[in-house]
């Protein structure tokens, strides 16, 4: 894990739980925020510096997105910061819930990688393509393949299409779903693959520079909005004064500068 000693120190500061039902800031107010993994800890350290001592943040690292959202629904945490709009929409639809975004944070690129070819022009009939098996990242990967002109997806499939929604595949590409954590190591055995930016970084590559096809990440491009990462709340807490202060502390220039400097194209601020 990155900067583990530093994060343990942060963890000592980020302790406690939010007093439910209050919308005013109390002395040393404490807010629990669900995250997945430690990749954003450094960002939250800068946010904490912006907040000062009035509000303290506790990051709660949960095992997977479903558990994290359930913890939010059950008021075990106060906010969640790990998912994009498409994932949130899918979770709400699957669970008949109304978790709601309170602000947008960054977007992580998803591009096409290969260990075996240098250009999409080198793809052959029936070549293998691997994509993440998780519903929203699978859907996003298929959208990237469509953007690259390799497939066409049913227009009614929405932002989280499935392989069965492909209506055109001229090269008869064999698209297979794989655990996204295994995709980088499996690239040697297939023509191309797609996975989330953090996995690309963990493999020692750049998610924009070391790919064979990249989508231009422009935060003003509304077609990318479904993949903007979010801070999410229960609908009854949207106007919480403490949360508004956290949003203000997050969307500062020093946080933006930190993300751009530290995350090597894996996270691009959208404010």
């Amino acid at each position: 894990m990155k900067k583990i000693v530093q994060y343990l120190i942060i963890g000592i500061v980020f302790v406690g739980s939010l007093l439910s039902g209050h919308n005013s800031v109390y002395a040393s107010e404490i807010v629990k925020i669900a995250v997945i993994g430690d990749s954003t800890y450094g960002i939250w350290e800068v946010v904490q510096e912006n907040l000062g001592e009035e509000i303290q943040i506790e990051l709660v690292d949960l095992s997977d997105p479903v558990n994290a959202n359930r913890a939010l629904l059950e008021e075990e945490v106060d906010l969640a910061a790990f998912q994009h709009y498409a994932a949130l929409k899918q979770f709400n639809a699957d669970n008949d819930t109304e978790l709601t975004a309170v602000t947008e944070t960054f977007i992580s690129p998803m591009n096409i990688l290969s260990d075996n070819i240098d250009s999409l022009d080198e793809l052959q009939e029936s070549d293998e393509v691997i994509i993440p098996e998780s519903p929203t990242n699978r859907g996003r990967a298929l959208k990237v393949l469509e953007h690259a002109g390799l497939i066409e997806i049913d227009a009614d499939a929405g932002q989280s299409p499935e392989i069965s929604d492909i209506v055109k595949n001229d090269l008869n590409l064999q698209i297979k779903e794989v655990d996204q954590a295994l995709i980088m190591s499996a690239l040697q055995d297939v023509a191309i693959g797609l996975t989330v930016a953090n996995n690309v970084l963990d493999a020692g590559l750049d998610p924009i520079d070391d790919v064979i096809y990249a989508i231009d990440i422009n935060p003003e491009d509304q077609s990318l909005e479904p993949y903007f990462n979010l801070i999410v709340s229960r609908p009854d807490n949207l106007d919480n004064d403490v949360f508004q202060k956290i949003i203000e502390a997050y969307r500062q220039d020093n946080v933006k500068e930190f993300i751009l400097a530290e995350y090597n194209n894996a996270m691009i601020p959208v404010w």
Side-chain angles (χ1 to χ4, degrees):
M1 290 190 178
K2 303 174 183 177
K3 304 180 182 177
I4 186 68
V5 175
Q6 180 183 20
Y7 295 157
L8 286 173
I9 294 171
I10 297 169
I12 294 171
V13 176
F14 296 170
V15 294
S17 63
L18 181 65
L19 300 173
S20 61
H22 295 281
N23 285 335
S24 60
V25 177
Y26 292 85
S28 194
E29 188 81 54
I30 302 170
V31 180
K32 287 185 176 181
I33 302 177
V35 296
I36 305 296
D38 64 3
S39 62
T40 61
Y41 275 32
I43 298 172
W44 287 106
E45 183 180 9
V46 181
V47 175
Q48 182 66 71
E49 291 172 358
N50 290 344
L51 285 169
E53 298 181 359
E54 185 179 43
I55 301 169
Q56 298 293 325
I57 293 171
E58 177 187 353
L59 299 181
V60 182
D61 186 354
L62 296 169
S63 59
D64 65 70
V66 173
N67 285 341
N69 277 334
R70 286 176 178 165
L72 179 58
L73 288 166
E74 294 169 7
E75 302 186 21
E76 295 171 4
V77 297
D78 310 299
L79 295 169
F82 60 85
Q83 64 200 316
H84 48 51
Y85 277 117
L88 177 62
K89 181 179 179 180
Q90 188 69 49
F91 178 87
N92 281 334
D94 291 344
N95 295 276
D96 193 26
T97 53
E98 297 181 350
L99 293 179
T100 306
V102 295
T103 196
E104 300 164 347
T105 55
F106 58 81
I107 183 171
S108 291
M110 180 181 284
N111 294 316
I112 301 177
L113 304 112
S114 179
D115 282 352
N116 295 305
I117 62 175
D118 297 319
S119 166
L120 295 182
D121 293 336
E122 299 176 41
L123 282 171
Q124 302 294 315
E125 179 85 16
S126 299
D127 270 349
E128 283 192 65
V129 179
I130 49 177
I131 63 174
E133 63 182 358
S134 64
T136 54
N137 284 326
R138 172 192 64 215
R140 186 179 182 188
L142 291 173
K143 287 285 189 178
V144 173
L145 293 173
E146 182 177 51
H147 191 279
L150 298 176
I151 62 172
E152 186 176 321
I153 299 169
D154 187 334
D156 295 328
Q159 294 299 328
S160 297
E162 301 180 7
I163 292 175
S164 59
D165 292 314
I166 297 173
V167 295
K168 185 178 181 181
N169 181 0
D170 289 341
L171 286 175
N172 191 31
L173 297 173
Q174 302 303 299
I175 302 173
K176 299 180 179 180
E177 297 178 33
V178 177
D179 183 332
Q180 63 187 20
L182 303 177
I183 287 178
M184 293 305 297
S185 61
L187 281 176
Q188 60 186 338
D189 300 319
V190 299
I192 59 175
L194 300 90
T195 189
V196 295
N198 281 346
N199 291 337
V200 180
L201 285 179
D202 288 344
L205 300 176
D206 187 286
I208 293 179
D209 294 337
D210 295 322
V211 302
I212 64 169
Y213 181 84
I215 292 179
D216 182 33
I217 298 294
N218 179 356
E220 296 182 3
D221 182 352
Q222 292 304 300
S223 70
L224 296 175
E225 187 177 33
Y227 310 112
F228 287 3
N229 280 61
L230 310 165
I231 299 175
V232 174
S233 168
R234 294 183 298 277
D236 60 311
N237 250 348
L238 290 177
D239 296 326
N240 189 299
D241 293 341
V242 175
F243 297 175
Q244 297 305 312
K245 289 180 179 293
I246 291 173
I247 294 167
E248 182 180 352
Y250 196 111
R251 294 171 69 92
Q252 295 293 318
D253 287 344
N254 64 334
V255 176
K256 179 183 292 187
E257 291 164 2
F258 178 86
I259 293 172
L260 292 173
E262 295 294 323
Y263 289 92
N264 196 30
N265 291 329
M267 301 176 190
I268 300 169
V270 295
W271 76 90

